[in-house]
Each structure stands twice: as structure tokens, then as C-alpha cells.
């Protein structure tokens, strides 16, 4: 599960810097990764209480530096302004991490191999795992999805008190 803290301030700053757009999670994270020194691009799932009551495929970046110079692992989500949730209500479940160099290479390869398709998200090597009839990518996606799904169920349990 999430062991990194969501940096709200940095998330809002990068969202503004890259002109983050609603419903463009992967592109926003890609642009944030390119604009953030030392960033790692991450794809996985986001869990929170309320609709759609299930994990949402999502992308964000991770960094291990703080503005004051200290080292601390943190999540920077350029999609935060579009989520309409408080940072404390969001749970991130990573499935796939790419350095900026790996990300650029994967996007270029996808553009060459499948020019008619969007190059993001990047799913990595086959074989892919399936959840129902939805292909999720390598087994790390299924593992992250299952963890996020359990968190969604926990967050959406009716309050029995």
C-alpha cells in the first residue's frame, strides 16, 4: 500500500505549470514527469470513498526530494485539482514505475508501432493478466488492482455504528 505522502502543494504547482487537464491523467503525469527533475512516472490505481466505488486507473509521479533539501519519498499528482477530493481521502496503489528516459522510449516506441493509438498508458511486457474482461497489464497491475479494490470496499462500507 501507499508508503509515500501526497505532496499537495507540489501537486497543485505542477498542475498549474503544465496546464493539467481533466480526464487526461496519463498525459498530465507524463508532462509532470518531463517537467520535474528526478521524477519517476507511475501508473497504478487510485482508491477513494464514493463513486465509482471501485479503483480508478491513474498515473502520477514520485520524487524523493523536498523543497527544503531533505529527502523524503512523496507523490506528486498533477491530476489533484480534477479529483475533487481532499489529499487525505486518496490512496495510491502503484503497478508500474518508469524513469523519464524509460517513459520517453516507451512513448516513442508506441508512436512508431501503433501510430493510430494513444501511447499512454504504458503497460510493459506481456503476458498480461485479466480482471474479468478488462486487460490490466502485467501481474503487478492485477496485484495493485486487488489491493486498491480491497481499500475501496473498506472505504465504502456503510457505517454500522
Amino acid at each position: 500500500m501507499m508508503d509515500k505522502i501526497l505532496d499537495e502543494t507540489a501537486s497543485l504547482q505542477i498542475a498549474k505549470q503544465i496546464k493539467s487537464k481533466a480526464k487526461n491523467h496519463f498525459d498530465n503525469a507524463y508532462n509532470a514527469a518531463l517537467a520535474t527533475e528526478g521524477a519517476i512516472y507511475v501508473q497504478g490505481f487510485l482508491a477513494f470513498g464514493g463513486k465509482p466505488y471501485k479503483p480508478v486507473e491513474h498515473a502520477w509521479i514520485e520524487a524523493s526530494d523536498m523543497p527544503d533539501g531533505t529527502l523524503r519519498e512523496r507523490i506528486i499528482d498533477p491530476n489533484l485539482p480534477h479529483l475533487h477530493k481532499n489529499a487525505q481521502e486518496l490512496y495510491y496503489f502503484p503497478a508500474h514505475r518508469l524513469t523519464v528516459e524509460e517513459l520517453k522510449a516507451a512513448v516513442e516506441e508506441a508512436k512508431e508501432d501503433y501510430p493510430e493509438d494513444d501511447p499512454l498508458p504504458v503497460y510493459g511486457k506481456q503476458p498480461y493478466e485479466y480482471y474479468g474482461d478488462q486487460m490490466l497489464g502485467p501481474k503487478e497491475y492485477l496485484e495493485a488492482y486487488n489491493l486498491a479494490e480491497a481499500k475501496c470496499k473498506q472505504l465504502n462500507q456503510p457505517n454500522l455504528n
Side-chain angles (χ1 to χ4, degrees):
M1 198 171 98
M2 181 176 86
D3 54 348
K4 298 170 178 66
I5 189 161
L6 175 60
D7 187 330
E8 242 178 305
T9 303
S11 295
L12 296 174
Q13 286 172 342
I14 196 70
K16 187 175 182 182
Q17 180 185 336
I18 66 165
K19 297 177 176 61
S20 173
K21 294 175 181 63
K23 299 184 178 159
N24 253 350
H25 298 183
F26 299 106
D27 290 341
N28 292 338
Y30 174 81
N31 291 327
L34 296 182
T36 307
E37 192 172 334
I40 299 293
Y41 169 89
V42 185
Q43 292 175 173
F45 297 92
L46 186 59
F48 49 83
K51 289 183 180 178
Y53 306 108
K54 62 182 181 179
V56 175
E57 193 172 15
H58 198 66
W60 60 93
I61 63 172
E62 293 177 354
S64 56
D65 62 316
M66 293 296 291
D68 64 6
T70 59
L71 287 180
R72 186 176 80 191
E73 293 290 321
R74 62 192 174 126
I75 291 169
I76 302 172
D77 188 347
N79 304 293
L80 187 60
H82 312 296
L83 298 175
H84 308 292
K85 300 276 182 191
N86 293 325
Q88 300 78 19
E89 300 175 290
L90 301 171
Y91 298 88
Y92 293 80
F93 296 86
H96 192 181
R97 289 182 170 89
L98 295 153
T99 65
V100 171
E101 294 77 25
E102 292 168 333
L103 178 61
K104 284 180 181 178
V107 167
E108 284 307 310
E109 182 179 334
K111 284 180 178 177
E112 287 175 19
D113 293 348
Y114 307 101
E116 66 284 352
D117 294 336
D118 192 334
L120 293 170
V122 176
Y123 288 112
K125 305 267 183 269
Q126 293 184 345
Y128 293 147
E129 298 286 333
Y130 289 83
Y131 177 79
D133 59 357
Q134 180 182 6
M135 184 168 59
L136 294 175
K139 71 178 173 74
E140 293 82 8
Y141 275 81
L142 186 59
E143 292 164 1
Y145 183 91
N146 288 340
L147 290 170
E149 185 179 46
K151 188 65 176 179
C152 283
K153 285 180 181 172
Q154 176 194 348
L155 293 169
N156 288 302
Q157 283 291 329
N159 189 347
L160 301 174
N161 296 335

